[in-house]
Amino acid sequence: MALRIGDTAPNFSIATTNGEINFHDWAKGKWTFFFSHPADYTPVCTTEMGRTSQLAAEFAARNCAPIGLSTDTVEAHLGWIEDVNVTQNTSLKFPIVADADKKIAALYNMIHPSESNTATVRSVFIIDPEMKIRLTMTYPMAVGRNFDEILRVLDALQTGDQHGIATPADWQPGDKVIIPPTVSNADAEKKFPQGFDEVKPYLRFVEVSK
Ligand code: BEZ
């Protein structure tokens, strides 16, 4: 069965470009951006790996560690990383899982047979420090992901956890957030002494700090 939001991210032990890892031990206490791509030495994937590496400081600022996966060997990954570094002008440091036998791809439902029987699609799992899956996203093979959106979702999840709020469409850090309908006006007044705007009884906006 496909993994769902709120599920515990399944654990695994595997070789990566940074050595053997036990996923839960590696990921514990931080947020994780776990993403698969179809194969090494492919063009879209090269740009995605490069972008993730270029954004290392942005992920670190959010206490989030990226980890990639494709169904190739550590040796293939290491050779490809040299190409990523040269073509994308970066120095890739995060681990890439070597899932040559597709065990982790199966565990995380990353192979969608109507797209390919052998290659993983572009799956994203954002996992919180307690190992809960907080976001899943699946992109087709021929469409590179939007990394601004990945950082924005991390910001939205972390702001939501911090303040018990929800975020509106196209929210960006600094924008007003939404008071969930489960919070009464009386409780909202206590929780948000800065005040809030009630557009409708179910649509209330408030400003919060990060
Ligand atoms: C790739 O670069 O990964 C890719 C490009 C086109 C189709 C499928 C995959």
Side-chain angles (χ1 to χ4, degrees):
M1 193 169 67
L3 292 170
R4 293 180 293 204
I5 288 175
D7 289 349
T8 298
N11 198 18
F12 54 83
S13 293
I14 191 116
T16 78
T17 48
N18 293 1
E20 283 278 329
I21 65 161
N22 173 281
F23 182 60
H24 281 190
D25 291 346
W26 179 85
K28 203 166 183 178
K30 58 194 178 213
W31 291 74
T32 301
F33 165 50
F34 184 28
F35 65 115
S36 62
H37 56 267
D40 296 357
Y41 296 103
T42 51
V44 177
C45 306
T46 298
T47 63
E48 291 192 326
M49 285 293 161
R51 191 75 190 116
T52 305
S53 175
Q54 291 162 1
L55 291 170
E58 295 292 337
F59 283 108
R62 292 160 176 82
N63 186 32
C64 180
I67 179 167
L69 176 146
S70 83
T71 57
D72 288 298
T73 61
V74 167
E75 290 69 32
H77 288 347
L78 290 174
W80 178 46
I81 286 171
E82 289 179 24
D83 283 5
V84 171
N85 287 341
V86 170
T87 62
Q88 309 304 303
N89 192 27
T90 191
S91 176
L92 192 156
K93 300 273 195 308
F94 62 85
I96 304 177
V97 168
D99 191 29
D101 60 8
K102 304 180 182 63
K103 268 198 196 141
I104 315 307
L107 190 63
Y108 276 77
N109 239 28
M110 290 165 165
I111 294 193
H112 294 204
S114 298
E115 185 89 332
S116 165
N117 275 319
T118 52
T120 44
V121 292
R122 298 183 196 285
S123 299
V124 172
F125 294 89
I126 292 183
I127 300 163
D128 73 16
E130 281 76 48
M131 298 298 123
K132 295 287 178 217
I133 294 172
R134 301 293 298 276
L135 171 133
T136 67
M137 194 163 82
T138 308
Y139 268 50
M141 286 190 178
V143 180
R145 284 159 281 207
N146 182 324
F147 286 79
D148 289 340
E149 172 60 4
I150 285 157
L151 294 175
R152 191 195 75 91
V153 168
L154 273 167
D155 286 331
L157 287 167
Q158 293 177 355
T159 303
D161 286 0
Q162 190 184 343
H163 296 286
I165 53 78
T167 51
D170 297 333
W171 176 85
Q172 294 289 341
D175 291 351
K176 285 185 178 178
V177 298
I178 285 175
I179 302 172
T182 47
V183 178
S184 67
N185 269 357
D187 286 344
E189 276 160 25
K190 283 187 221 135
K191 200 169 169 187
F192 304 109
Q194 65 271 43
F196 56 89
D197 301 333
E198 183 173 323
V199 180
K200 291 276 180 190
Y202 59 85
L203 183 60
R204 296 164 298 170
F205 289 95
V206 64
E207 276 178 26
V208 293
S209 57
K210 172 107 169 88

